[in-house]
Amino acid sequence: MAKIIDGKAVSARVRAQVKEEAAELKANGISVGLAVVIVGDDPASRVYVNNKKKACAEVGFESYEYALPAETTEEELLTLVEKLNNDEKVNGILVQLPLPAHLNETKVINAIRPDKDVDAFHPENVGHIMIGDFSFLPCTPAGVMELIADTGVDVCGKSCVVIGRSNIVGKPMAMLLLHKNGTVTMTHSRTRNLKEICASADILVAAVGKAKFVTADMVKEGAVVIDVGMNRNEEGKLCGDVDFESVKEKAGAITPVPGGVGPMTIAMLMRNTLTAAKRQRQQTK
Ligand code: NAP
């Protein structure tokens, strides 16, 4: 049976390290601040924003919430982003996605100052990730890399398969695995022979958004299986993309949902915010 990778424990370690460094900065009179902008009243977004605020409090950051009504105009939102760009207390800016349909997400993300873009969604940061000289890690894929490291499996030379090619998970995930010298295959909805490709993977990362999508016949004996998916099953319970019960009998290591990748995303956001504060401090020296 597979080793169950404990995302809660790994994320607690990352947060503890961030907390320690934040305390050192505070002792030198520097506080770290994250601004979180939420537009509208999507219940899932509200939960994510609350969790981010809680994580900020835990590691000793200031958090500034801007909860705007659903009918906020693009101009109003861009004005707020500009204000936060120029606010010295704010080291990181996060605009919770998705935005209401009348707002252009790309335009809003592109308006965030790249050195405050702690989600690493700005094209400048995406470019840095592609090249490999990045300061900000894309939060979810970076969390996955921490979890893989925790298994003790070295990515170098391994066959890595990523299912999904979104800008926030699949693409940067493939890049991070490539930077660690994995041999990476990106797959998507048009991929032929998906089952065979997945079954060849030493490391399989699923970011599809479909419950029980990855079944045991798609998994190589002993593989590391990382489940990024966050779906609801028939009973409304949170579940991933992997058929956990059958796959855990075949994999070498596997992340559960909940308790796997989810807690890592916020921990990496905290790390990025700390990095942002340190870099901005150096720039003003
Ligand atoms: P997304 O933008 O909807 O992308 C899904 C990807 O899956 C697409 O690239 C799509 O291919 C591919 N796909 C869909 N059906 C497929 C099929 N039959 N075979 C192969 N590939 C298929 O989703 P996302 O934003 O990347 O998120 C993926 C999942 O991760 C979701 O469940 C989301 O909730 C979760 N998530 C979790 C965290 C976390 O912190 N744990 C963070 C972010 C996302 P095409 O490109 O061809 O359409």
Side-chain angles (χ1 to χ4, degrees), residues 13-276:
R13 279 208 300 272
V14 173
R15 282 181 281 125
Q17 196 188 24
V18 171
K19 184 177 179 173
E20 205 179 300
E21 287 191 50
E24 278 169 29
L25 288 179
K26 206 160 215 165
N28 290 312
I30 305 154
S31 63
V32 180
L34 175 68
V36 182
V37 181
I38 176 170
V39 186
D41 45 19
D42 176 58
S45 292
R46 176 37 64 201
V47 171
Y48 295 141
V49 166
N50 288 349
N51 288 343
K52 286 164 188 172
K53 278 167 61 186
K54 240 164 63 186
C56 280
E58 187 202 323
V59 300
F61 294 173
E62 301 299 326
S63 66
Y64 309 100
E65 181 183 314
Y66 295 84
L68 308 180
E71 54 280 6
T72 300
T73 65
E74 200 164 275
E75 201 187 338
E76 285 166 336
L77 182 54
L78 290 171
T79 303
L80 172 62
V81 170
E82 190 53 25
K83 184 180 138 219
L84 299 174
N85 280 343
N86 295 319
D87 187 339
E88 276 186 19
K89 293 195 303 301
V90 172
N91 303 110
I93 303 170
L94 183 147
V95 177
Q96 186 63 46
L97 303 180
L99 290 171
H102 68 281
L103 299 171
N104 182 335
E105 282 184 2
T106 307
K107 210 165 160 186
V108 174
I109 297 299
N110 291 3
I112 298 174
R113 230 173 77 177
D115 65 336
K116 293 191 177 188
D117 167 43
V118 284
D119 259 336
F121 291 163
H122 189 287
E124 194 174 308
N125 288 321
V126 173
H128 282 298
I129 291 160
M130 179 90 177
I131 294 163
D133 72 341
F134 45 88
S135 322
F136 290 137
L137 302 156
C139 298
T140 301
V144 171
M145 296 307 285
E146 292 281 336
L147 294 176
I148 295 172
D150 187 64
T151 66
V153 170
D154 184 4
V155 175
C156 182
K158 297 283 185 325
S159 158
C160 307
V161 173
V162 180
I163 320 176
R165 56 173 165 180
S166 69
N167 289 330
I168 62 167
V169 188
K171 284 180 195 161
M173 186 70 250
M175 278 303 135
L176 295 195
L177 289 163
L178 186 62
H179 292 320
K180 287 282 177 199
N181 299 314
T183 303
V184 184
T185 307
M186 290 185 72
T187 66
H188 46 78
S189 66
R190 316 285 170 87
T191 298
R192 292 184 195 153
N193 307 326
L194 182 69
K195 213 164 249 193
E196 289 77 4
I197 294 169
C198 291
S200 72
D202 301 308
I203 298 170
L204 179 63
V205 182
V208 190
K210 291 183 178 165
K212 296 196 177 171
F213 184 83
V214 176
T215 46
D217 56 339
M218 295 167 77
V219 174
K220 183 175 171 176
E221 197 82 44
V224 174
V225 178
I226 307 284
D227 190 350
V228 181
M230 287 209 298
N231 314 298
R232 297 273 161 196
N233 66 14
E234 311 82 47
E235 295 117 50
K237 271 177 65 184
L238 190 65
C239 67
D241 290 341
V242 176
D243 182 9
F244 184 79
E245 288 309 319
S246 66
V247 172
K248 79 174 193 304
E249 301 302 325
K250 205 167 175 192
I254 186 169
T255 57
V257 178
V261 176
M264 292 306 297
T265 300
I266 292 189
M268 302 320 283
L269 174 70
M270 296 299 112
R271 188 183 275 176
N272 278 352
T273 306
L274 182 74
T275 303

